[in-house]
Amino acid sequence: MKKNTLKKVFSALSLTAVAASAVSLSAFAAPSDYTAGQIAESEIKPKITTTKLVVDKDQAGQDVKVTLDVSGADGKYCNTGIRIYYSDRLTLKTKANGKADVADGPAIADLGTKTNKVDDSCTREGFDSWFMSTGGEGDYGVDGTMWTLTFTIPADAEEGEVFPLDIVYQSAGTTKDAFFDVDRTEAGMLMEAYAFTQGIYSPENPTFAASAEDVAKCPNLANIDSTYDGYIAIAGAVETTTTTVATTTTTKAATTTTKAAETTTKAAETTTKDAGTTTKAAGTTTKKAAGTTTKKAAGSTTKPATTTGKKGDSPKTGVAGVGVAAAGLAVAIGTAFVLRKKED
């Protein structure tokens, strides 16, 4: 059997395997048989990217083009299996013949077998997914646009709304997405590992960010998920409603306590002697009341009998107080993806 025939058979089997992953039970994992250090040293470092677009609100209900592009792998790849997740608020347009409006791009024009189909395995809330793949007789894939998809923006799209686009790596069992050469060489397999870990934005490469120019048009893009790969956004800011809670202040009426004047009247004391009468005039003592000082009324004395009295002592009093403090603890949990080495 000729070498080209063997390549065709192998390529067809590979394409069947990657296509099967679109409808199988899904599992997300790093596509790596290699360590992070080996991947970083890959001689082929492809980048797979998609559209980043901000439009005005008057384009709500209109169609927009989204491309999936590759760079850094010119003439290096043949077999691919790539899926794009997109906001389920977007609608993948259907052509007059009933097929989805997904067109092959010039980067894959010389590859023999191509597949476009809905990804039924998509389970991510808020997203739909489309699966695309290629195969062929040689490494005829080049840099440029691999596919163009036409989406319709919802008619009720609001200013500041963001519709994310995400290129993901997905595998299940023995099947997986793909990006390798026709001969499945070591360099080709390292190229695949690089493409799906460092060549897209992913849990292994969570560094995606909108451009400063786009954030200026749509401020919500400043908070986009760092594992996404693109977006369609509506210019403007989302209206925010500020709720002011009325505050009621209760003022306690001032309380004034006035102590009634206390008057002590000492009864007149009369002493009678054989030769005369000595009379002590009644004396009146008034205690201070409500901030008023009243002087003792004048009294007349004719030398009375002497009486000695001692004032009572007042006890000292005191009040002690205590305070209680409380503290809280927060725990942060991080996640990590581990690359494992498997048998080829």
Side-chain angles (χ1 to χ4, degrees), residues 66 105 153 307:
V66 169
I153 298 173
T307 303

Side-chain angles (χ1 to χ4, degrees), residues 53 55-57 59-64 89-91 151-157 161 163 232-234:
L53 178 67
V55 299
D56 292 330
K57 188 178 183 299
Q59 285 192 250
Q62 302 300 308
D63 296 338
V64 293
R89 289 267 289 148
L90 298 172
T91 302
F151 289 101
T152 303
I153 298 173
D156 62 349
E161 192 167 1
F163 308 103
I232 298 169
I234 308 299

Side-chain angles (χ1 to χ4, degrees), residues 309-334:
K310 185 177 181 181
K311 293 183 179 179
D313 295 324
S314 299
K316 295 182 179 179
T317 62
V319 179
V322 295
V324 180
L329 175 65
V331 177
I333 302 175

